[in-house]
Amino acid sequence: MRKVAIIGASYLQEPLIQKAKSMGFETHVFAWACGDVGEKSADFFYPISIVEKDAILEKCVEIGIDGICSIASDLASITVNYISSAMGLIGNSLECTERSTNKYAMRKSFEENLDPSPRSYLVKSLKDLEGKELSYPIIVKPVDRSGSRGITKLLDESGLFQAIESAIEQSFQKEAVVEEFVEGQEYSVECISWNGKHHFLAMTKKYTTGAPHFIETGHLEPAMVEISVLEQVKKIVYHALDSLKITNGASHSELKITDDGTIRLIEIGGRMGGDFIGSNLVELSTGIDYTRAVLETCLGIEPKLEQEKATGAAAVRFVFSNEDLQVLERLKREHPLYLVAQSEVFCTNRPIMDSSSRYGFYLMKADTPEDLLSYLPKE
């Protein structure tokens, strides 16, 4: 029986754990012990933090794993690539890891390879911006975090110190990036790569709270864009994946498109999209099993990317208030068959500061994206 190491045990990794088990693989899951679902569902669980790379490597060598992977986590992908490189398994290089998990290194790679991307400055304090030309609006964010953590948009210099302090506080490396703010509608693109060849899976429209923190409120797939725009997006994303040296496994690219059709890259992660995009929306809308493809790739098996189920449209809406729950009740009345899944929801007065603090979610599926528009957040 093939042995697969999975980095992380939260609900984000549970679809990967269950898929691996359904494929007949033995699952070895690593994470800090905190009662997460994967601690119980894994065949073997090891209470080792996902950042303890050498301790995990030692155990993986002892186990004799055949592959290692994770989904929807930049932090976990660092450990995945560290161990796959050390053990000669399928993954991405350590150079790729740096470029795809450090936002400043990513911007430099894009700049060097002429990928369309905003200007960016690396800062450890406000002093690092002395002599730099800032064209407002700007956006400040941690150099190495995801999930809308520590992000602030500024229209002028007021609040700049606080924004930098917040981003640095959220950063693992205690660094932030200050970037020109890119206007336009935001989208994400899911791909799977195999031996350096990139395969497009889906393009997703993103809904957010807007400034200052841009927390995701929902996602719709497929994005309703012209074929000519989609083809241009693919071309830009594939080139950027090469710039970051992503050769194997999933990738999640975020970009913006302005009203005049200009495409700018925001960032790219060498992992599938979170927020149920990779684990649920791709398969619901395309019929392609993205999670299985991730497992196949890490085990050195060319991924099967054939459509296996009926296609359509899929979406997720996150719960921020009772208004979101009212929309859910309307969905149940009007189109109960559209509802795929929902979480338990407890709306409180607790502030929602990033994606991890949202109150809940519900997943939907229909024949066309238009069918789901009235159940998604207002733009």
Side-chain angles (χ1 to χ4, degrees):
M1 179 181 289
R2 288 193 168 189
K3 301 174 181 179
V4 178
I6 294 173
I7 305 303
S10 75
Y11 74 95
L12 293 171
Q13 307 303 327
E14 182 63 7
L16 186 63
I17 297 169
Q18 293 300 332
K19 181 62 65 174
K21 293 176 74 169
S22 73
M23 294 171 70
F25 304 141
E26 188 175 272
T27 55
H28 296 260
V29 174
F30 297 82
W32 183 262
C34 61
D36 278 336
V37 60
E39 298 178 24
K40 295 180 180 178
S41 61
D43 294 310
F44 298 92
F45 173 71
Y46 308 90
I48 306 173
S49 169
I50 67 172
V51 301
E52 295 183 51
K53 298 180 294 185
D54 289 313
I56 295 176
L57 172 61
E58 182 179 352
K59 195 66 183 179
C60 285
V61 170
E62 177 187 324
I63 296 164
I65 61 167
D66 299 290
I68 182 168
C69 58
S70 185
I71 57 177
S73 170
D74 288 325
L75 187 59
S77 69
I78 296 173
T79 298
V80 167
N81 290 335
Y82 179 80
I83 291 169
S84 63
S85 295
M87 295 185 67
L89 301 172
I90 300 296
N92 290 304
S93 67
L94 298 183
E95 182 181 9
C96 167
T97 304
E98 172 68 9
R99 294 186 181 200
S100 60
T101 60
N102 182 294
K103 291 178 175 57
Y104 185 68
M106 185 181 301
R107 286 278 178 260
K108 296 299 290 182
S109 296
F110 289 160
E111 182 182 340
E112 291 167 3
N113 291 282
L114 304 180
D115 298 297
S117 175
R119 181 184 301 173
S120 178
Y121 298 110
L122 180 68
V123 298
K124 295 182 180 179
S125 71
L126 191 59
K127 188 176 181 181
D128 292 329
L129 290 176
E130 290 180 1
K132 302 292 193 302
E133 212 175 293
L134 294 181
S135 179
Y136 290 89
I138 62 171
I139 193 159
V140 182
K141 50 189 171 183
V143 76
D144 52 5
R145 293 303 299 266
S146 58
S148 303
R149 295 175 180 86
I151 294 178
T152 306
K153 178 187 177 183
L154 297 173
L155 299 177
D156 53 48
E157 65 181 11
S158 60
L160 181 56
F161 175 78
Q162 292 87 343
I164 291 174
E165 287 293 299
S166 174
I168 288 175
E169 182 180 352
Q170 290 284 337
S171 170
F172 294 116
Q173 296 185 33
K174 301 307 174 188
E175 295 176 331
V177 286
V178 176
E179 303 179 342
E180 60 177 311
F181 180 77
V182 177
E183 302 290 349
Q185 173 61 50
E186 191 164 358
Y187 298 91
S188 61
V189 175
E190 302 303 307
C191 293
I192 192 87
S193 301
W194 171 250
N195 289 336
K197 184 176 181 181
H198 313 303
H199 303 272
F200 170 84
L201 297 178
M203 182 171 173
T204 309
K205 181 178 180 179
K206 179 183 292 192
Y207 297 77
T208 78
T209 57
H213 302 304
F214 299 94
I215 305 168
E216 287 90 344
T217 58
H219 300 281
L220 174 64
E221 196 178 289
M224 294 185 290
V225 298
E226 298 290 336
I227 292 296
S228 59
V229 174
L230 178 59
E231 290 306 312
Q232 183 64 13
V233 165
K234 289 181 186 178
K235 181 179 178 181
I236 288 173
V237 167
Y238 290 173
H239 189 275
L241 292 175
D242 288 338
S243 298
L244 299 181
K245 300 187 180 296
I246 292 176
T247 58
N248 291 294
S251 62
H252 175 73
S253 304
E254 297 181 347
L255 53 90
K256 282 188 176 182
I257 303 178
T258 61
D259 291 340
D260 66 3
T262 301
I263 301 169
R264 304 283 296 281
L265 292 164
I266 305 302
E267 56 189 62
I268 295 178
R271 41 81 178 175
M272 68 162 58
D275 273 1
F276 305 99
I277 294 172
S279 58
N280 295 82
L281 299 191
V282 169
E283 186 169 4
L284 286 170
S285 67
T286 69
I288 297 172
D289 193 333
Y290 194 9
T291 308
R292 184 186 68 191
V294 168
L295 284 159
E296 289 171 333
T297 302
C298 86
L299 288 166
I301 304 167
E302 184 172 0
K304 299 180 182 68
L305 301 177
E306 299 86 4
Q307 175 192 330
E308 297 181 351
K309 298 178 182 178
T311 60
V316 60
R317 179 166 180 156
F318 295 98
V319 178
F320 285 70
S321 68
N322 286 322
E323 179 185 348
D324 300 309
L325 294 178
Q326 290 166 7
V327 174
L328 173 59
E329 292 308 310
R330 179 164 61 84
L331 172 68
K332 290 178 178 178
R333 289 195 309 271
E334 296 174 349
H335 292 287
L337 294 181
Y338 287 2
L339 184 62
V340 174
Q342 69 177 92
S343 66
E344 291 186 15
V345 178
F346 301 98
C347 288
T348 68
N349 292 324
R350 169 177 51 79
I352 298 175
M353 302 303 297
D354 54 45
S355 61
S356 67
S357 55
R358 294 170 301 200
Y359 295 138
F361 70 89
Y362 44 102
L363 289 164
M364 301 166 271
K365 184 183 188 313
D367 291 333
T368 70
E370 289 85 355
D371 293 330
L372 298 174
L373 288 178
S374 69
Y375 304 110
L376 284 162
K378 294 181 177 65
E379 298 183 70

